[in-house]
Amino acid sequence: MAVVEISIIPIGTPSAGVSNYVAGCLKQLESEEEIKYELTPMGTIIEGELEKIFKVVRKMHEYPFNKGIERVVTNIRIDDRRDKDLTMNSKVTSVKNKI
Amino acid sequence: MAVVEISIIPIGTPSAGVSNYVAGCLKQLESEEEIKYELTPMGTIIEGELEKIFKVVRKMHEYPFNKGIERVVTNIRIDDRRDKDLTMNSKVTSVKNKI
Amino acid sequence: MAVVEISIIPIGTPSAGVSNYVAGCLKQLESEEEIKYELTPMGTIIEGELEKIFKVVRKMHEYPFNKGIERVVTNIRIDDRRDKDLTMNSKVTSVKNKI
Amino acid sequence: MAVVEISIIPIGTPSAGVSNYVAGCLKQLESEEEIKYELTPMGTIIEGELEKIFKVVRKMHEYPFNKGIERVVTNIRIDDRRDKDLTMNSKVTSVKNKI
């Protein structure tokens, strides 16, 4: 299991507000059954099997193009650990326990 | 006001677990009075005046070196909007209202 | 066609030097016929069809695990433009022409 | 010395082309005497003392606002190594020697 953060930026939008597009990208996650996600002020964090995450990230990245946008810059950051199960919860708890 | 995400990765650590270092970086934020912050599974999100954020990010980046680490990769993502006040709350609310 | 930057960081390596791993990740690209790539001081930039890039990025991300590493943080930044062909060359030329 | 990559994205531009802004950001680097830089298809890579780099990154991030843009997303990735001198050249050479 991996924890992945994704941030999608549509370029050439009519205004500086892009939450419409972000909301549409997020909706692509709703129908996914085997992944968990969390919206943060800077992106969306997804937890699940890397293969499934890649597929849904692909769909999220495509969304703004379907809405007429001609350029999209997408940032994907993968944290993948194999010696133990990495979850969104375990990552935050592990840090908080040490403060 | 800007919203900034920071992720600090120490390189060459004895194990794959790095939450000790992340916790130490976070502590640099505690004494700051004019910035708000939030720990996420993929980093720390900070809200405040850009000048002040830069200063504290500089301190956070330095922390692992003080603990004997010889290499640090730090990722900083700035979302800076000047036509209206950007806050961590307003960003998330704005997206949620559109879902 | 998209231009994608990838940076792969192995966590918990014996030393602060990780070029061995980076070199191994790069080798995954050599056998690919339909993508172009370029090594920079901060990562690898790949040009090609997004679907093909995702596949090879997946292989690159896997490489350090095959070498015994237990945690890998991978950063992928996609610049995808559909109104005209985006290439590594055209992007740099376009900026240089304006300086 | 650190090697830093910066990518600046203006939001809400009239078109999907943003090379004008990127060129303007780059010009902020020309007058700097103690830093080296290199334009890549995905951003600008800077080599120098971290304190000086932070100052110039601050100026680059400000440029699009001076041109009427109301929102800028800036990505900064710092690779900072203290056990030996990190340069743009040494990083690329070190990987190439291992291929």
Side-chain angles (χ1 to χ4, degrees):
Chain A
M1 283 230 302
V3 178
V4 176
E5 181 179 47
I6 178 161
S7 138
I8 293 168
I9 304 174
I11 312 285
T13 49
S15 92
V18 297
S19 51
N20 259 322
Y21 299 100
V22 176
C25 291
L26 254 183
K27 274 188 197 152
Q28 314 301 310
L29 288 167
E30 281 175 2
S31 52
E32 300 295 323
E33 278 173 20
E34 285 162 276
I35 59 173
K36 283 178 67 175
Y37 66 94
E38 184 183 309
L39 178 65
T40 81
M42 290 298 282
T44 306
I45 302 180
I46 309 175
E47 165 194 322
E49 222 190 286
L50 198 50
E51 227 56 61
K52 276 168 197 141
I53 292 178
F54 263 91
K55 263 185 208 143
V56 78
V57 162
R58 194 66 198 77
K59 274 164 66 182
M60 292 171 77
H61 171 75
E62 210 61 30
Y63 176 82
F65 291 114
N66 300 338
K67 291 294 157 190
I69 292 296
E70 287 169 333
R71 187 177 194 173
V72 176
V73 172
T74 291
N75 213 94
I76 304 163
R77 203 146 44 93
I78 303 169
D79 186 0
D80 191 355
R81 190 169 175 175
R82 306 277 167 92
D83 60 338
K84 62 178 204 172
D85 254 6
L86 208 60
T87 64
M88 295 193 287
N89 259 335
S90 70
K91 288 192 72 180
V92 169
T93 308
S94 172
V95 173
K96 286 196 171 157
N97 285 345
K98 272 145 194 156
I99 298 185
Chain B
M1 285 234 300
V3 178
V4 175
E5 181 179 47
I6 177 161
S7 138
I8 293 168
I9 304 173
I11 312 285
T13 50
S15 92
V18 296
S19 51
N20 259 321
Y21 300 99
V22 176
C25 292
L26 254 184
K27 274 187 198 152
Q28 312 303 309
L29 288 167
E30 282 176 0
S31 53
E32 300 295 324
E33 280 173 18
E34 286 162 274
I35 59 172
K36 283 178 67 174
Y37 64 94
E38 184 182 309
L39 178 66
T40 82
M42 290 298 281
T44 306
I45 302 180
I46 310 175
E47 165 194 321
E49 224 190 284
L50 198 50
E51 226 58 58
K52 276 168 196 140
I53 293 178
F54 263 91
K55 262 183 208 144
V56 78
V57 162
R58 195 66 198 74
K59 275 163 66 183
M60 293 171 76
H61 172 75
E62 210 60 30
Y63 176 82
F65 292 113
N66 300 338
K67 292 293 158 194
I69 293 295
E70 287 169 333
R71 188 178 194 172
V72 176
V73 172
T74 291
N75 214 93
I76 305 162
R77 203 147 44 94
I78 304 169
D79 186 1
D80 191 355
R81 190 169 175 176
R82 306 274 168 95
D83 59 338
K84 62 178 204 171
D85 254 6
L86 208 62
T87 64
M88 296 192 288
N89 259 335
S90 70
K91 288 192 71 179
V92 169
T93 308
S94 172
V95 172
K96 286 197 171 157
N97 285 345
K98 272 146 193 155
I99 297 184
Chain C
M1 285 232 302
V3 178
V4 176
E5 181 179 46
I6 177 159
S7 137
I8 293 168
I9 303 173
I11 312 284
T13 50
S15 91
V18 297
S19 51
N20 259 323
Y21 299 100
V22 176
C25 292
L26 254 184
K27 273 188 198 152
Q28 312 302 310
L29 287 167
E30 281 176 0
S31 53
E32 300 294 323
E33 279 172 18
E34 286 163 275
I35 59 173
K36 281 177 69 174
Y37 65 95
E38 183 183 310
L39 177 66
T40 81
M42 290 298 283
T44 306
I45 302 179
I46 309 175
E47 165 194 322
E49 223 190 284
L50 198 50
E51 227 56 61
K52 276 168 197 140
I53 292 177
F54 263 91
K55 261 184 208 144
V56 78
V57 162
R58 194 65 198 76
K59 275 164 66 182
M60 292 171 77
H61 172 76
E62 211 59 30
Y63 176 82
F65 292 113
N66 300 338
K67 292 292 158 191
I69 293 295
E70 288 168 334
R71 186 177 197 172
V72 176
V73 172
T74 291
N75 214 93
I76 305 163
R77 204 146 44 92
I78 304 169
D79 186 0
D80 192 355
R81 190 168 175 176
R82 307 277 166 94
D83 60 338
K84 62 178 202 171
D85 254 6
L86 208 60
T87 64
M88 295 193 288
N89 259 334
S90 71
K91 288 192 71 182
V92 169
T93 308
S94 173
V95 172
K96 286 197 171 156
N97 284 345
K98 273 148 194 153
I99 297 184
Chain D
M1 285 232 302
V3 178
V4 176
E5 181 179 46
I6 178 159
S7 137
I8 293 168
I9 304 173
I11 313 285
T13 50
S15 92
V18 297
S19 52
N20 259 322
Y21 299 100
V22 175
C25 292
L26 254 184
K27 275 189 197 151
Q28 312 302 311
L29 288 167
E30 281 176 1
S31 52
E32 301 294 324
E33 278 172 18
E34 287 163 274
I35 59 173
K36 282 177 68 175
Y37 64 93
E38 184 182 310
L39 177 67
T40 81
M42 290 299 281
T44 306
I45 302 180
I46 308 175
E47 165 195 322
E49 223 190 283
L50 198 50
E51 226 58 59
K52 276 168 197 143
I53 292 177
F54 263 91
K55 263 184 206 145
V56 77
V57 162
R58 194 66 198 74
K59 274 163 67 181
M60 292 171 77
H61 172 74
E62 210 61 30
Y63 176 82
F65 292 114
N66 299 338
K67 292 294 158 190
I69 292 296
E70 288 169 332
R71 187 177 196 173
V72 176
V73 172
T74 292
N75 214 95
I76 305 163
R77 204 146 45 92
I78 303 169
D79 186 0
D80 191 356
R81 191 168 175 177
R82 307 274 168 96
D83 60 337
K84 62 178 204 172
D85 254 7
L86 208 61
T87 63
M88 296 192 288
N89 259 335
S90 70
K91 290 193 71 182
V92 168
T93 307
S94 173
V95 172
K96 285 196 171 159
N97 285 344
K98 273 145 193 154
I99 297 183

